C-alpha cells in the first residue's frame, strides 16, 4: 500500500487501507469502525485511548495502535515543519 499524501489529507478509504495493512488481526473491529464513524486521516490523528476503546480495540492491542498513531502525528508534524522551512527558504532567496 502506498499512501504518499499527508495523513491529514487521508480519506476514510485511505484510513481503512492503512488499518487493514497495519492490523490484520483487528480486521472486523477497526475496519468496521472506520466506516461507521467516518474516520478520516485528520480524525485518526486526533484519536486517543478513550476513542479507540469505544471503537472496540482490544486492550492487548491498544498500546500498539496508539504508538502507530503517535508516529503518524510525528510524520505529519515533520511535514508541517518541512513546509514552513521551504516557504521561509524560498522567500529569503
Amino acid at each position: 500500500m502506498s499512501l504518499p499524501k499527508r495523513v491529514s489529507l487521508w480519506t476514510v478509504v485511505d484510513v481503512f487501507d492503512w488499518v487493514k495493512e497495519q492490523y490484520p488481526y483487528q480486521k472486523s473491529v477497526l475496519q468496521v469502525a472506520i466506516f461507521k464513524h467516518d474516520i478520516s486521516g485528520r480524525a485518526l490523528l486526533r484519536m486517543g485511548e478513550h476513542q479507540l476503546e469505544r471503537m472496540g480495540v482490544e486492550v492487548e492491542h491498544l498500546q500498539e495502535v496508539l504508538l502507530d498513531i503517535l508516529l503518524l502525528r510525528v510524520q505529519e508534524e515533520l511535514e508541517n515543519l518541512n513546509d514552513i522551512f521551504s516557504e521561509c527558504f524560498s522567500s529569503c532567496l
Side-chain angles (χ1 to χ4, degrees):
M1 178 185 78
S2 176
L3 293 169
K5 59 186 172 183
R6 299 174 84 125
V7 177
S8 61
L9 300 177
W10 286 2
T11 65
V12 173
V13 173
D14 292 331
V15 173
F16 177 84
D17 289 343
W18 179 80
V19 165
K20 185 169 64 173
E21 184 174 300
Q22 291 289 116
Y23 312 108
Y25 54 83
Q26 287 278 348
K27 192 174 203 170
S28 61
V29 175
L30 275 177
Q31 290 177 5
V32 168
I34 296 300
F35 283 113
K36 180 180 178 182
H37 300 288
D38 291 324
I39 306 295
S40 65
R42 186 175 294 278
L44 179 66
L45 291 172
R46 292 191 310 258
M47 300 214 55
E49 184 174 354
H50 179 70
Q51 291 87 358
L52 292 170
E53 286 175 343
R54 289 184 63 203
M55 287 174 51
V57 174
E58 298 170 6
V59 173
E60 60 268 14
H61 301 296
L62 193 57
Q63 291 304 313
E64 179 185 2
V65 176
L66 285 168
L67 178 60
D68 287 338
I69 291 172
L70 178 60
L71 291 172
L72 290 174
R73 286 182 192 144
V74 169
Q75 175 185 331
E76 184 74 17
E77 288 301 319
L78 288 173
E79 289 172 1
N80 287 337
L81 289 171
N82 188 42
D83 288 349
I84 291 168
F85 177 76
S86 294
E87 286 177 24
C88 179
F89 189 72
S90 66
S91 68
C92 293
L93 292 179

